[in-house]
């Protein structure tokens, strides 16, 4: 997973990556992003292409609603707008892109080559073209000369995968899980309906949510046991490859 340096970026384009709310390291990303939004200097610009509202899209300067099926089209549209040569079999994806948003974003990125970030990822990007989407985004960042400047290689994170989540949903569907604890996340909101999690939860004998809010997932739980605010809790975190405890 690349390391993103949002404090060094003058223009940020996100394709369904909620880096301020839930993607990878939102605490670090929020701090870095805030540093680039200082009113004492020229603030960075955040452009969002989103298929679902998130904390990141709500903080964006420009927001372009898209369908999940248009994510790859947006990334490839940026490649083409920035001078990349697309083979014929990829041009069909560009036709589905919101052209006005592509031109606006490409013009902003063009003005800050080497000082920009294009990022995609998160649950909304878990689909058949997930890997192709990341390849396209890497292509955009390479065209802009962001590699080694606002984006550096090599951050190892301890986190689950979509494969683990799909396996859990499968186990729930087959009634292999009797008790499920969902700790301070809201997957019913984040996951597409096609994932089938809501229906699968009905097969568990008990569902416990530790959310502090009566969100979409907590409403389906048998027990809601709020976990408390971050400032009240003990925890452990991984930050920049370093594991530490929270007290």
């Amino acid at each position: 997973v690349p390391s993103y340096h949002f404090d060094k970026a003058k223009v940020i384009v996100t394709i369904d990556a909620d880096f301020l709310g839930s993607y990878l390291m939102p605490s670090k990303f929020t701090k870095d992003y805030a540093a680039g939004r200082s009113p004492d200097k020229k603030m960075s610009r955040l452009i969002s292409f989103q298929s679902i509202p998130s904390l990141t899209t709500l903080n964006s300067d420009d927001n372009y609603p898209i369908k999940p099926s248009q994510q790859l089209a947006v990334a490839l549209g940026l490649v083409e707008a920035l001078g990349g040569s697309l083979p014929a079999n990829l041009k069909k994806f560009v036709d589905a892109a919101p052209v006005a948003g592509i031109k606006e974003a490409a013009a902003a990125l063009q003005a800050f080559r080497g000082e920009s970030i294009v990022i995609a990822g998160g649950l909304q990007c878990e689909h058949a073209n997930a890997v192709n989407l990341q390849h396209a985004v890497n292509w955009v960042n390479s065209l802009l000369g962001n590699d080694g400047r606002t984006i550096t290689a090599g951050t190892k994170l301890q986190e689950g995968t979509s494969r683990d989540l799909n396996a859990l949903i499968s186990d729930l569907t087959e009634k292999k899980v009797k008790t499920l604890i969902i700790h301070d996340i809201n997957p019913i909101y984040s996951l597409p309906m096609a994932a089938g999690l809501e229906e699968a939860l009905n097969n568990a004998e008990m569902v416990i949510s530790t959310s502090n809010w009566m969100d979409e997932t907590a409403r389906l739980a048998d027990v809601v046991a709020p976990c408390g605010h971050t400032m009240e809790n003990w925890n452990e975190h991984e930050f920049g490859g370093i594991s530490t405890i929270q007290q």
Side-chain angles (χ1 to χ4, degrees):
V1 177
S3 293
Y4 299 96
H5 306 284
F6 292 100
D7 54 327
K8 298 179 181 179
K10 301 297 183 184
V11 175
I12 302 162
V13 175
T14 172
I15 305 174
D16 265 331
D18 182 21
F19 65 88
L20 295 178
S22 60
Y23 187 55
L24 297 180
M25 299 184 291
S27 297
K28 179 182 185 302
F29 291 162
T30 298
K31 179 182 178 182
D32 291 348
Y33 175 71
R37 299 289 286 188
S38 173
D40 298 331
K41 56 185 178 181
K42 186 174 177 60
M43 293 194 297
S44 63
R45 179 180 176 185
L46 175 57
I47 302 172
S48 170
F49 293 90
Q50 57 94 10
S51 63
I52 185 171
S54 68
L55 189 59
T56 301
T57 63
L58 293 174
N59 281 278
S60 63
D61 299 295
D62 304 278
N63 183 32
Y64 299 96
I66 61 171
K67 299 176 182 178
S69 59
Q70 292 178 304
Q71 293 166 352
L72 181 58
V74 171
L76 292 175
L78 289 173
V79 168
E80 188 173 55
L82 291 168
S85 178
L86 293 178
N89 64 319
L90 294 181
K91 286 185 178 293
K92 63 181 181 180
F93 291 100
V94 178
D95 295 336
V99 177
I102 293 293
K103 291 181 178 179
E104 181 77 12
L109 291 167
Q110 190 79 260
F112 290 97
R113 288 178 171 269
E115 296 181 283
S116 55
I117 291 175
V118 180
I119 182 172
L123 291 175
Q124 288 74 40
C125 297
E126 294 289 346
H127 46 63
N129 277 316
V131 175
N132 294 330
L133 174 61
Q134 295 303 323
H135 286 324
V137 168
N138 290 343
W139 191 355
V140 176
N141 284 309
S142 294
L143 286 171
L144 291 167
N146 294 332
D147 296 330
R149 303 181 69 176
T150 57
I151 301 174
T152 54
T155 298
K156 185 177 181 180
L157 299 176
Q158 295 180 357
E159 60 176 10
T161 66
S162 58
R163 186 181 297 108
D164 297 329
L165 181 58
N166 290 333
L168 172 61
I169 295 174
S170 178
D171 287 345
L172 283 166
T173 302
E174 296 173 10
K175 299 183 178 181
K176 294 180 179 180
V177 179
K178 292 185 177 181
T179 302
L180 177 67
I181 301 175
I182 303 175
H183 180 52
D184 201 24
I185 56 173
N186 187 9
I188 295 298
Y189 176 79
S190 302
L191 287 172
M193 291 183 64
L197 177 59
E198 183 170 349
E199 295 78 7
L201 289 179
N202 294 325
N203 294 318
E205 294 180 10
M206 177 174 288
V207 177
I208 302 171
S209 170
T210 65
S211 174
N212 290 315
W213 319 101
M214 190 55 71
D215 54 32
E216 290 82 358
T217 302
R219 290 191 181 98
L220 299 177
D222 300 295
V223 177
V224 178
C227 62
H229 190 270
T230 302
M231 300 298 291
E232 302 171 329
N233 296 338
W234 290 72
N235 211 328
E236 60 182 45
H237 296 281
E238 182 181 355
F239 180 81
I242 300 174
S243 297
T244 184
I245 61 172
Q246 168 193 319
Q247 179 178 352

